[in-house]
Amino acid sequence: MLLLRDTTTTREIADTVRDHTALVRDSHAGHPDRAHLGRKFTATLRAAAGSGLYDTILDAALVADADGTEPEKAIDALLGKLPFLPKKALSEGGHRAFTRGLSEFLHYYESSGTTGNPVAAPKALDDLVANTINIGELWARILFPADRALILINAPFAPAAYQFEKVLEYLQVLSLRPWVDNITGDYTRVLRLTRELGVNVFVGPPSRLLEMIQFAYRNDEPVPAFDKLFLMAEQTGPAFVRHLERLTGARAYVAAYGSSETGTTAVTCEHRNLHLQTQSYVLELDGPERGPRRVDGTPDRGELVVTTLDILARPLLRYRTGDLVEITGTDCPCGVATPLLRTLGRSQDLITLEGNGIRQNDVESALWAELPDGDPGSGVQVLNYMLVVQDRTILCLATTTGPADASWREATARRLAGLFPGFELALRPVEKLPPLASLGQYLGWKLSRVLDLNDERNWDRLPAPIRGVVETTLAEYASTPRG
């Protein structure tokens, strides 16, 4: 997986690979080594005590208690006594989380900054190995050496593209990792390589895939056909998944869930269920109605709180992710015994209009509904969309698979209008959306697909040079008479 010149380090990593693989497989089988997990927890606690991020908030007595606690009991005895780490605290002091010198990391990365300032998230050798095995042991049920994978993740400072490249190496799957300029959005070379190399697997965010498909339609290129879609980095509900499957003919998987800061906390199996990586994390849920409680596999929902066990170089204790999740409480037909997770999106991605809360999947279920033949809204498909809110009007900008007549526009607008009572909703097919619509993995759904022009502050939340493009493009659409 990694070719290292230093033979001592190579031997140590081989031992880490062996031990972690055994722990993963024991966890999958339903009998994790609790003493091993307890030792990892206390090691994480000791490492955190040596970082600047925790030097004033972590009680030294707790660290001493950890050293005297039996490993099997350490997590239960000590977790609830640890302080929570808010996202803001990490974004303001990310480098202070390091417990090693910068030269002891392999690669420097940062989070996207979707929910705050970018957070330093470099990769050290040991956490890279653990995360790669965690993902690879489940993806191995779906991917095989005969597959060929396109990794299309335009995020040079985030670790995702590199991490998934290492997973595909682990599985001995050929991969290519091109780059597409966010402004020009020219996918000509990517589409050519996909055809010529017989690529059958897409790995990346769904908005990027939609952007590529939209480019193919607009330029009379063949729409790429895949066998498998490995989607990540954005909230992708059932309607979105079905939409992408119809467009590509592939079977789609929400392949992984996590963040640059935490690593990958859940991974898909062949039955399209996200399995929590309990060998590498202590996971809790929290919410206004109930206090914090450990994830134990029983049905539950709340904000996910993460304690890392395999990132000793930058440990996180009770880190508030801000993500709303659900634990299904069901067993998976694949046989892997770790709890199943469903993502519910981020709390800040809720559109609130006069007390009416609207989520991403609400919009997409209406926009991409499966319609019977002969329905005025059938035939032409919406490829991608953006909502513009101004005064009492909501304008839905949409790219389509073909020309859209007035009856199609009216039928599609009616399906959406029920979500926005008291507002005038208009749908306008456009040839191309602003590049912002392909940046969901960076900005989150609301900032990439919903532009509220009633709040001038929203413009300041858009990154340059995207802001200039959006200002020019949406000003033209917003000033055009509705029809």
Side-chain angles (χ1 to χ4, degrees), residues 417-440:
L419 298 174
F420 305 100
F423 287 78
E424 176 192 349
L425 188 136
L427 184 139
R428 180 169 298 281
V430 296
E431 181 180 340
K432 185 179 180 181
L433 290 172
L436 188 68
S438 67
L439 298 180

Side-chain angles (χ1 to χ4, degrees), residues 286-305:
D286 196 11
E289 296 180 359
R290 295 178 60 193
R293 61 274 184 196
R294 286 276 300 279
V295 171
D296 59 7
T298 56
D300 203 351
R301 63 170 56 195
E303 179 191 1
L304 188 67
V305 179

Side-chain angles (χ1 to χ4, degrees), residues 10 31 66 72 92 117 128 132 210 240 291 319 364 465:
T10 299
H31 44 82
E72 295 89 343
E92 291 176 349
N117 296 325
L128 174 63
T132 299
L210 275 181
F240 205 166
Y319 175 60
E364 292 170 354

Side-chain angles (χ1 to χ4, degrees), residues 56 229 272 297 352 379:
T56 60
L229 307 178
R272 304 201 283 191
T352 303

